[in-house]
Amino acid sequence: MDKSVGPGGNPESKTSNERGVVDFADARVRLRTRTRPSNESLLAELDEIHSLLDQGLSTEAKDRLALVIASARNHPTALALARCALATALEQQGHYRDSLAAVAMYEAPESLAKLDDKTIVALRVQIGLGYNYTGDHPKAIAMLKSTRRDYAESGPVNLGLIYSALSRVYRTISEFPIARDYAERALDNFRQTGDWRGLAESYFGVGVADIQEGNYEAGLENLAQAQKLIGDRPAAYMLGRTYANMAGACWFLKRPQEGIDYLKKAITYYERTDHKTNAADGYNNLGINLILIGQWDRAQEALERALSLATEVDERGDKVPMILDSLGELHMLRGNLEEAEDYLRRAVALATENGNKWYAAQALRTLGRCYLTIKDATKALARAAEALTLAESIGDRQAICESRLIAAEAHLQTHDLDESAKELQRVTADTTDSATDLGFTGETHRLLGMLGMLRSDEAAAAQHFGSSVSIFDMLGDRYRSARAHFQLGKAYAATVPSRAAEHLARAVNTFRELGARLDLALAEDALANLDRTQPERNQEQSAVTQLLTLRLAEAVASRELLLRELAAVMRQETGAERVVITEQGERNEQRVVVALGTTPSENLRIASELGMLKDEAARDRYCRKQDAEVIFLRSTNAAPATLYLSPRSRSTLPKGISIDPLLRVVELGMDVCALRAGAQRGGSSEQSDELAGSSLMPGFIHSSPAMTQLVEEVHKIRSSDVTVLVTGESGTGKELVARAIHAISSRRAKVFVPFNCTAVPKELSEGYLFGYRRGAFTGAVSDSQGVIRTAAGGTLFLDEVGDLPLDVQPKLLRFLQEGEIQALGEQRPAKVDVRIIAATNTDLEEMVAQGRFREDLYYRLNVIRLRVPPLRERRSEIPTIVNYYLNHYSAKFGRKDIQITPQAVDLLMVSEWPGNVRQLCNEIQRVVARGEDGALITPEQLSPELQRTSSPTAPSSASIATLPAGSAQTTGTLADALAEVERRMIADAMRRHGGNISRAARELGLTRRGLYLKLERHDLSASA
């Protein structure tokens, strides 16, 4: 390969190269002078690469890892960790076999000989995950469990990694209770170190297990905690995964709008990563939710965007059938049946080709519904049977129920009523009364209504259709709600024509807004042909009451559904013009749960008026005045509710039959809902008392290795009077260390005097320290012995000694050397026996170099040097410190039984704490002072800066494009120009954050260590 001559080359060297003659002497010189990366620089580069992986920038991470691996041949630890990171990058891209191959060479024990425990655990965990994602789950589990046995005593970080990996493996094989257990064990270990990645991943694992087990609210809470722990760190990939799963929980909870909000965030994060298939998945789920709430045009845009992204990656990829299925369903609802059938056939074929049974079954079910719309019952039955076979083979209960519902409707189309009834009975037996099965319940009621119509039992049909209306109204499913209204209107057309028009008109309006052409035509035709003159058919009232009782008894899946069903029954059966049900809100005000026949302004007025009815007498007066009936619904275990009916004459069933029996059924149902909710809360709120009180030395708490070493150093000098210099950041507790030194020294019976060198004006510092005589200077109206004499026999603590004025420093040096001082105005020096402990949060060596601190004084102070580590380096102590100050301030403010949730402690664990222990102490003081007896401190009660929530907006950090025009280099190499840009970005970030390393590193997407190395490389100081 030809190589050009670099700068400084000469014609002779060029000629020799062209002749193919190699100058070995020159080559040896260049090899000797080539800069070889150090192990530290390689590890710093790996930290930055891990940040790229957090952001989902796996392509750039792979490119940089190739350079690291090539440079790390003589650094076995860096090489092994680089291969782990490469395996992670390949795993993110879905290249699972390549991911395993990246670390497989470390499976042999002899390849681990030169590595430490932490690196070995990381390798074995990555190898285990590699086997998991390539389908060898037993080997993955065996590898991870043997690693746990071999390294059980290697520390919480290693155990956390192992347990977290085991949780991922068991999630893959759908063993969710076991996965949850391992995720919780990982959580316990990561809590000891405050590892934000580990904590977030553990909460993510617990949340996903919750969702898969049907505990959707708990799943949302745990995923939200994971998102809070990530905070505003640049971790788009992790945040995208988290928000996408939160949207999944909302889907099962039938809260589509909330799910849509989460999906928008997930998509925004995913689009900032290299993983387009994840973004496609997000757009598909967004489209499904938009279909549910009736925003079909936006759904079409989202689904087409999903298909474009998915096919851009792989035209026949795993995600494509799912998106084709969604597009097919949307076209079917709109009445574009040929397009729908085409999309769905393609989805079935591609899912089958890819071997994905779940996607194939889903597409078959949608295709079956398409054939029902076409009125081709034979094909619908065939597709339902195929879908049922696949659903049973993978054990998907909900898919089984949905397949049977399609078969039941197909049998209705062929008038095989008995077979349809059998399928519906099977679905009813398999359906639970949980919120997740409400959609099946609503569809079952609709089909039972159709069955009733075919059997000429219009009264029973109307009750089933009414239940279907209530369910789909509550779920926010506009299409299915409109369809149920349409069929309810048809049922009433045969029995109570006066009620039919309202439901048919509502169906027409909704179908028109949605653009459901075929359904709109049917509803308009039914409304146009409605015979309003037909007399109402007499019905046996006892039979109707039985149907109503059964309808209400079956509505105990949730309190909201029960109250909605009550309102619907009252409106349909009593003929009331206005029905409103209210309950007490969070602020003790009456809030409307459901309202029929009223406007929003009327709802607010009625709720406000009902809130003022405190007793039966007030209620009776109100009812007479407003021509309304107000009924208080009360039960033993549930919150009360209030039913409003107007006019008052419409508060009974036909023929004057009382509604009291129905109200008793509702009150019992409220009890059932309350007891079920209480049981679920009880099961999820059991927490171990990890933060029990301890008899620690007041104000001086230690348990981490760094602080334990500090304590050992303090004990070593307990019998000595040597001068001590305590260094550390502001708020780390330097004065507490000084007091501890004094407390265990031989001077403990004498006084301890703290003096802050910044607390007095510089011109008065000498007088405060050494004392003065009356008249020694203007304003000296009496003698002062000074703080050094005040501390005679004891200990003087000089805080912020680096701020001591230069002209006072020689006198302090003399005192340290000779043990004598001379007060201002005195003629001779005096001996004083005082031990000096000094402290500073500044770099005294730098100040000496700059001439701002005397070198000889520095050496006198620096006899014994103790460094107090910042709180971020001893995170394992945070729970203990929190517990101590919780008890301390509870006693101080007279509070009782104040506790803090583990989730709040976890947020405290991952915070950077620029103010260190002082900031943490003030935070606990604030929340305790604002709390009440028995309060439980949750993450929401912490300060806003501790609840950092990442916002899915574009990063605001500086870029090449935003630099001033004159700042770009016009000469030199590209590398020089990029280095200058990097230097300017780092300097600007440090300036913006006042030299705070943690905040600047987070903005730049670096680790603290990585930023320190770059500061050193660019010859920048932390105060840049």
Side-chain angles (χ1 to χ4, degrees):
M1 182 182 292
D2 292 336
K3 296 181 181 179
S4 60
V5 179
N10 56 69
E12 290 181 7
S13 62
K14 180 176 180 180
T15 303
S16 65
N17 283 339
E18 288 175 348
R19 291 195 305 265
V21 178
V22 178
D23 187 340
F24 286 105
D26 178 63
R28 279 193 290 270
V29 169
R30 283 189 282 112
L31 283 172
R32 283 197 298 270
T33 57
R34 182 187 295 169
T35 302
R36 293 181 179 176
S38 66
N39 195 61
E40 185 179 25
S41 65
L42 289 171
L43 294 176
E45 176 70 2
L46 285 173
D47 281 341
E48 294 183 23
I49 289 169
H50 281 296
S51 179
L52 291 174
L53 292 173
D54 290 338
Q55 298 172 63
L57 303 177
S58 53
T59 303
E60 183 181 349
K62 279 173 56 182
D63 294 342
R64 291 174 68 168
L65 281 166
L67 295 174
V68 172
I69 290 170
S71 304
R73 291 170 183 169
N74 298 320
H75 302 284
T77 298
L79 179 60
L81 293 175
R83 286 198 162 276
C84 275
L86 177 60
T88 301
L90 291 165
E91 177 191 305
Q92 283 190 3
Q93 294 179 341
H95 304 316
Y96 299 124
R97 297 197 180 279
D98 293 340
S99 174
L100 178 58
V103 287
M105 68 286 297
Y106 289 101
E107 194 167 357
E110 57 270 17
S111 64
L112 307 173
K114 297 180 180 180
L115 304 176
D116 57 36
D117 286 356
K118 184 177 180 181
T119 306
I120 293 172
V121 168
L123 283 167
R124 293 182 66 171
V125 163
Q126 194 60 52
I127 293 168
L129 290 173
Y131 281 120
N132 174 59
Y133 290 120
T134 53
D136 196 343
H137 310 302
K139 192 166 185 177
I141 293 169
M143 167 76 74
L144 293 170
K145 287 190 174 180
S146 71
T147 306
R148 182 188 60 182
R149 286 193 301 270
D150 295 344
Y151 296 91
E153 305 298 327
S154 62
V157 173
N158 289 339
L159 286 174
L161 287 172
I162 296 166
Y163 287 132
S164 181
L166 280 165
S167 177
R168 289 171 69 179
V169 174
Y170 279 105
R171 287 205 304 271
T172 304
I173 60 176
S174 301
E175 293 288 351
F176 298 109
I178 302 174
R180 167 207 289 284
D181 179 62
Y182 280 122
E184 289 175 342
R185 292 193 206 182
L187 194 58
D188 290 340
N189 281 278
F190 286 126
R191 276 176 173 155
Q192 298 179 45
T193 63
D195 182 335
W196 70 266
R197 284 189 185 91
L199 284 168
E201 181 66 34
S202 299
Y203 271 109
F204 178 86
V206 175
V208 171
D210 282 333
I211 292 170
Q212 295 295 337
E213 292 181 289
N215 302 318
Y216 303 111
E217 290 288 2
L220 265 181
E221 291 175 11
N222 283 307
L223 291 170
Q225 179 69 6
Q227 171 258 313
K228 290 174 185 173
L229 289 165
I230 297 169
D232 57 2
R233 295 177 176 87
Y237 183 73
M238 297 177 71
L239 285 165
R241 283 197 311 154
T242 303
Y243 280 120
N245 279 275
M246 292 172 78
C250 291
W251 169 263
F252 287 112
L253 288 168
K254 310 304 178 187
R255 283 151 44 182
Q257 191 57 59
E258 191 177 342
I260 287 169
D261 293 339
Y262 287 135
L263 281 169
K264 287 178 180 177
K265 293 180 180 180
I267 290 167
T268 307
Y269 281 118
Y270 278 143
E271 290 198 317
R272 289 162 55 183
T273 73
D274 295 339
H275 306 286
K276 294 181 179 179
T277 53
N278 289 339
D281 204 1
Y283 274 113
N284 181 64
N285 290 330
L286 178 61
I288 292 170
N289 278 272
L290 290 169
I291 290 173
L292 184 71
I293 64 172
Q295 297 184 18
W296 290 0
D297 289 336
R298 290 181 59 201
Q300 180 97 22
E301 293 174 8
L303 293 174
E304 287 176 351
R305 174 65 174 157
L307 187 61
S308 172
L309 287 171
T311 53
E312 185 179 333
V313 175
D314 183 355
E315 289 188 354
R316 308 191 70 78
D318 287 343
K319 302 292 184 183
V320 176
M322 175 180 62
I323 302 166
L324 292 172
D325 172 72
S326 301
L327 280 164
E329 179 172 17
L330 179 56
H331 280 288
M332 176 186 70
L333 296 176
R334 283 183 150 169
N336 305 324
L337 300 182
E338 289 184 5
E339 292 92 331
E341 185 178 4
D342 179 60
Y343 275 120
L344 294 169
R345 283 179 175 276
R346 288 165 56 195
V348 171
L350 189 52
T352 304
E353 176 186 316
N354 292 338
N356 192 314
K357 293 182 179 180
W358 195 94
Y359 287 165
Q362 172 64 38
L364 282 167
R365 291 193 299 274
T366 312
L367 185 57
R369 289 200 301 274
C370 182
Y371 287 133
L372 288 174
T373 307
I374 297 172
K375 304 299 182 185
D376 191 336
T378 303
K379 287 184 178 180
L381 271 173
R383 300 296 85 78
E386 292 175 47
L388 180 61
T389 301
L390 286 174
E392 289 176 337
S393 71
I394 60 178
D396 188 334
R397 180 187 61 83
Q398 293 190 328
I400 291 171
C401 290
E402 190 174 349
S403 302
R404 293 193 183 282
L405 287 170
I406 295 168
E409 187 164 1
H411 286 306
L412 288 177
Q413 288 190 2
T414 61
H415 291 269
D416 190 348
L417 306 189
D418 292 340
E419 197 59 39
S420 177
K422 289 177 183 178
E423 292 287 8
L424 293 173
Q425 286 172 1
R426 295 187 185 108
V427 173
T428 302
D430 289 342
T431 304
T432 68
D433 60 357
S434 67
T436 59
D437 282 355
L438 275 177
F440 298 132
T441 303
E443 189 67 4
T444 301
H445 276 297
R446 186 182 72 85
L447 295 179
L448 286 170
M450 292 172 65
L451 182 62
M453 292 290 286
L454 290 171
R455 287 175 170 171
S456 301
D457 190 352
E458 288 84 359
Q463 299 306 324
H464 285 302
F465 289 138
S467 293
S468 186
V469 165
S470 296
I471 290 171
F472 289 123
D473 274 349
M474 186 185 75
L475 297 180
D477 190 329
R478 295 189 66 203
Y479 173 78
R480 287 174 175 80
S481 174
R483 188 172 58 176
H485 274 290
F486 166 61
Q487 290 171 321
L488 178 58
K490 289 181 67 177
Y492 278 143
T495 55
V496 193
S498 58
R499 300 181 192 172
E502 175 188 350
H503 295 285
L504 291 174
R506 182 165 176 179
V508 166
N509 291 334
T510 305
F511 287 142
R512 184 179 291 121
E513 290 173 11
L514 293 176
R517 293 186 299 106
L518 299 181
D519 294 284
L520 176 61
L522 292 173
E524 286 178 335
D525 183 63
L527 184 61
N529 294 321
L530 177 64
D531 185 0
R532 294 176 172 82
T533 63
Q534 180 181 335
E536 295 188 5
R537 190 183 302 174
N538 290 325
Q539 303 174 59
E540 182 62 42
Q541 194 57 44
S542 60
V544 173
T545 305
Q546 274 187 325
L547 288 171
L548 295 174
T549 303
L550 181 62
R551 177 176 171 182
L552 292 170
E554 289 178 343
V556 294
S558 74
R559 176 184 170 97
E560 183 183 355
L561 176 60
L562 179 64
L563 296 180
R564 281 181 173 273
E565 280 284 69
L566 174 62
V569 166
M570 292 297 104
R571 183 83 189 280
Q572 293 165 14
E573 302 301 328
T574 67
E577 297 174 8
R578 291 178 293 280
V579 180
V580 180
I581 298 179
T582 65
E583 64 183 8
Q584 196 172 62
E586 293 180 357
R587 300 179 181 178
N588 296 323
E589 82 287 3
Q590 287 293 309
R591 72 172 192 88
V592 176
V593 179
V594 58
L596 301 174
T598 56
T599 64
S601 59
E602 287 176 325
N603 292 338
L604 290 174
R605 176 183 60 80
I606 292 170
S608 175
E609 292 170 349
L610 294 180
M612 294 185 287
L613 305 180
K614 302 302 181 185
D615 52 35
E616 300 291 338
R619 182 188 66 175
D620 291 342
R621 289 194 298 272
Y622 176 80
C623 291
R624 288 193 297 271
K625 181 178 179 181
Q626 298 294 330
D627 187 24
E629 187 66 41
V630 175
I631 301 164
F632 296 137
L633 301 172
R634 297 186 176 95
S635 66
T636 307
N637 300 292
T642 304
L643 170 64
Y644 172 97
L645 299 172
S646 176
R648 198 173 189 183
S649 59
R650 297 286 188 172
S651 59
T652 61
L653 297 174
K655 300 182 180 179
I657 296 175
S658 173
I659 61 174
D660 285 349
L662 299 181
L663 299 179
R664 300 295 79 77
V665 171
V666 171
E667 288 173 336
L668 288 171
M670 291 165 59
D671 253 343
V672 170
C673 295
L675 290 169
R676 184 191 296 118
Q680 290 172 350
R681 285 194 300 270
S684 63
S685 64
E686 294 177 6
Q687 299 168 349
S688 59
D689 186 12
E690 298 176 11
L691 302 175
S694 56
S695 57
L696 297 166
M697 186 168 113
F700 194 72
I701 299 166
H702 65 90
S703 62
S704 67
M707 286 298 287
T708 300
Q709 183 180 355
L710 175 64
V711 171
E712 290 172 355
E713 293 294 325
V714 169
H715 276 272
K716 288 177 183 176
I717 60 175
R718 64 185 181 278
S719 58
S720 169
D721 270 354
V722 67
T723 302
V724 179
L725 177 63
V726 184
T727 64
E729 296 178 8
S730 178
T732 52
K734 296 185 292 292
E735 183 174 340
L736 290 175
V737 172
R739 289 183 181 276
I741 295 170
H742 173 76
I744 62 173
S745 72
S746 57
R747 297 174 181 265
R748 58 184 172 274
K750 301 295 184 178
V751 67
F752 175 88
V753 178
F755 176 73
N756 192 312
C757 298
T758 62
V760 297
K762 291 186 176 181
E763 59 272 14
L764 300 180
S765 295
E766 182 179 353
Y768 269 84
L769 272 173
F770 302 103
Y772 52 83
R773 290 291 188 181
R774 179 181 176 184
F777 54 84
T778 303
V781 296
S782 61
D783 292 346
S784 171
Q785 62 179 353
V787 294
I788 294 179
R789 277 199 177 105
T790 303
T795 302
L796 174 64
F797 174 57
L798 296 177
D799 198 8
E800 307 299 349
V801 71
D803 293 322
L804 197 66
L806 267 173
D807 56 348
V808 178
Q809 291 179 19
K811 292 192 173 184
L812 179 60
L813 175 64
R814 176 174 177 79
F815 169 65
L816 292 172
Q817 289 175 330
E818 309 297 337
E820 60 182 29
I821 62 172
Q822 186 172 353
L824 293 173
E826 284 190 348
Q827 300 302 313
R828 59 175 60 88
K831 290 281 185 181
V832 182
D833 178 25
V834 174
R835 181 184 191 176
I836 296 293
I837 301 176
T840 181
N841 65 0
T842 58
D843 187 345
L844 288 185
E845 290 90 342
E846 181 70 18
M847 294 183 68
V848 169
Q850 295 174 358
R852 295 188 292 125
F853 198 85
R854 289 181 63 98
E855 186 176 11
D856 47 5
L857 176 58
Y858 167 71
Y859 288 122
R860 276 290 173 181
L861 291 172
N862 195 34
V863 178
I864 296 291
R865 185 168 185 153
L866 300 175
R867 175 181 176 270
V868 185
L871 193 54
R872 63 181 170 274
E873 293 180 12
R874 47 189 176 110
R875 296 182 188 275
S876 60
E877 296 176 356
I878 290 177
T880 311
I881 296 172
V882 167
N883 187 60
Y884 170 76
Y885 282 115
L886 204 59
N887 293 332
H888 174 76
Y889 288 116
S890 292
K892 179 177 179 180
F893 298 132
R895 304 289 192 269
K896 296 179 181 178
D897 301 324
I898 291 186
Q899 296 181 339
I900 185 167
T901 64
Q903 290 78 12
V905 175
D906 290 337
L907 273 186
L908 300 178
M909 286 282 284
V910 302
S911 294
E912 290 300 322
W913 299 114
N916 291 291
V917 178
R918 182 185 297 125
Q919 184 186 359
L920 175 58
C921 170
N922 291 340
E923 180 68 19
I924 301 302
Q925 181 178 10
R926 184 189 66 79
V927 294
V928 172
R930 295 177 65 178
E932 299 177 351
D933 289 351
L936 184 66
I937 300 170
T938 64
E940 288 70 28
Q941 293 165 267
L942 301 178
S943 298
E945 60 268 21
L946 300 178
Q947 300 181 49
R948 300 163 307 168
T949 300
S950 186
S951 176
T953 55
S956 60
S957 56
S959 65
I960 297 174
T962 60
L963 291 174
S967 68
Q969 288 189 340
T970 58
T971 61
T973 66
L974 176 61
D976 293 336
L978 292 174
E980 177 61 22
V981 170
E982 184 178 72
R983 186 181 189 281
R984 287 176 178 273
M985 289 177 65
I986 293 171
D988 289 344
M990 293 298 293
R991 193 175 300 112
R992 276 194 299 276
H993 294 289
N996 187 294
I997 293 289
S998 299
R999 293 174 184 169
R1002 185 179 302 120
E1003 178 183 310
L1004 294 167
L1006 301 173
T1007 61
R1008 285 173 53 81
R1009 183 167 63 175
L1011 181 53
Y1012 272 123
L1013 286 171
K1014 286 185 181 292
L1015 288 170
E1016 182 179 348
R1017 184 187 308 162
H1018 293 295
D1019 196 24
L1020 294 170
S1021 69
S1023 58

